[in-house]
Amino acid sequence: MFKYDVNDRTYLSLMNSRDAAELYALIDQNREYIGKWLKFPSMTPRVEDSQAFITRTRWGYAKNEGYWLGIWSDGNLAGSIGFLYFDQDNRKTEIGYWLGKAYEGQGLITASVTALIHYAFDELNMNKIEIGAATMNTRSRAIPEKLGFKQEGIIRDYEFLNGGFIDRVIYGLKAEEWKESTLKFKRKQETQDEH
């Protein structure tokens, strides 16, 4: 079963059927907040919808088609992150994520995305990772920008949400770029440690 320790307080894990009530409660408590930028809260009016989502994502994991993981912080479900798909022919994937409002500002998404980047490049042999976000969602956009993703373009009127169309910005990161930035970071750390 997939479980990835992010740090001593946080781990990523496939959700089980017993997590459906906690997942639903987190969505329900943050319905308006998350729903400002994402459609799924409006499609999750009952706990059974969370149960069905967990079943689908476990099938996606079993078939290697992409899957979502719970983000667990201090034993509580804080949000979710996942690979939206795996394009094996072109060796690329896309990462999506969301977090309950009470868990923001703790670095959970940055650490979780970093973990999935390492996993995608090192374990899954992907060449490229994409992240998409609504152009006006500055908090979500800050993650790929902080992690060295390059802005590749804007898709106009990408999605009809909350009575209007929203544009979507697409970011991309190639394996060679990640390795290069990781090496630079290590060299910088080594230099600082020497002084």
Side-chain angles (χ1 to χ4, degrees):
M1 197 50 57
F2 189 100
K3 183 179 178 189
Y4 192 103
D5 290 318
V6 175
N7 55 44
D8 57 346
R9 296 179 55 209
T10 308
Y11 67 90
L12 310 177
S13 165
L14 275 177
M15 289 177 272
N16 293 302
S17 56
R18 67 178 178 272
D19 300 317
E22 189 172 0
L23 175 62
Y24 176 77
L26 185 63
I27 294 168
D28 198 43
Q29 292 159 10
N30 292 276
R31 192 170 298 281
E32 188 177 321
Y33 181 70
I34 301 167
K36 184 174 181 182
W37 304 116
L38 299 169
K39 196 173 273 190
F40 78 86
S42 66
M43 300 160 55
T44 312
R46 304 169 308 139
V47 70
E48 290 83 4
D49 299 312
S50 292
Q51 181 64 61
F53 167 78
I54 290 170
T55 300
R56 282 193 311 275
T57 200
R58 291 177 70 85
W59 272 109
Y61 177 77
K63 295 178 181 178
N64 200 31
E65 294 176 348
Y67 48 86
W68 284 84
L69 306 165
I71 301 172
W72 303 88
S73 178
D74 293 327
N76 298 310
L77 184 62
S80 188
I81 188 168
F83 295 113
L84 278 58
Y85 61 84
F86 293 125
D87 180 343
Q88 301 292 356
D89 291 338
N90 298 302
R91 292 177 42 216
K92 70 176 184 171
T93 187
E94 182 176 349
I95 294 175
Y97 46 82
W98 63 270
L99 203 60
K101 187 171 175 56
Y103 297 96
E104 285 195 340
Q106 301 174 32
L108 292 174
I109 291 293
T110 301
S112 298
V113 171
T114 301
L116 287 196
I117 291 170
H118 282 296
Y119 190 76
F121 289 148
D122 299 339
E123 303 296 324
L124 302 177
N125 196 32
M126 292 289 154
N127 177 63
K128 187 177 181 195
I129 299 169
E130 294 177 349
I131 291 178
T135 53
M136 302 297 286
N137 189 348
T138 54
R139 290 187 76 96
S140 187
R141 291 183 64 174
I143 305 302
E145 290 171 0
K146 184 188 307 181
L147 293 173
F149 282 68
K150 307 274 190 276
Q151 182 176 323
E152 298 191 335
I154 294 176
I155 303 172
R156 299 176 300 151
D157 289 356
Y158 175 81
E159 188 173 33
F160 190 78
L161 187 64
N162 302 320
F165 286 100
I166 59 170
D167 296 344
R168 186 172 184 86
V169 58
I170 305 298
Y171 294 93
L173 178 69
K174 299 194 302 180
E176 63 189 44
E177 295 166 339
W178 180 250
K179 286 175 185 150
E180 200 174 285
S181 68
T182 303
L183 281 173
K184 283 181 188 174
F185 179 76
K186 282 181 183 174
R187 285 189 201 115
K188 186 178 178 183
Q189 290 295 97
E190 288 167 1
T191 304
Q192 289 174 348
D193 290 345
E194 288 172 5
H195 296 296

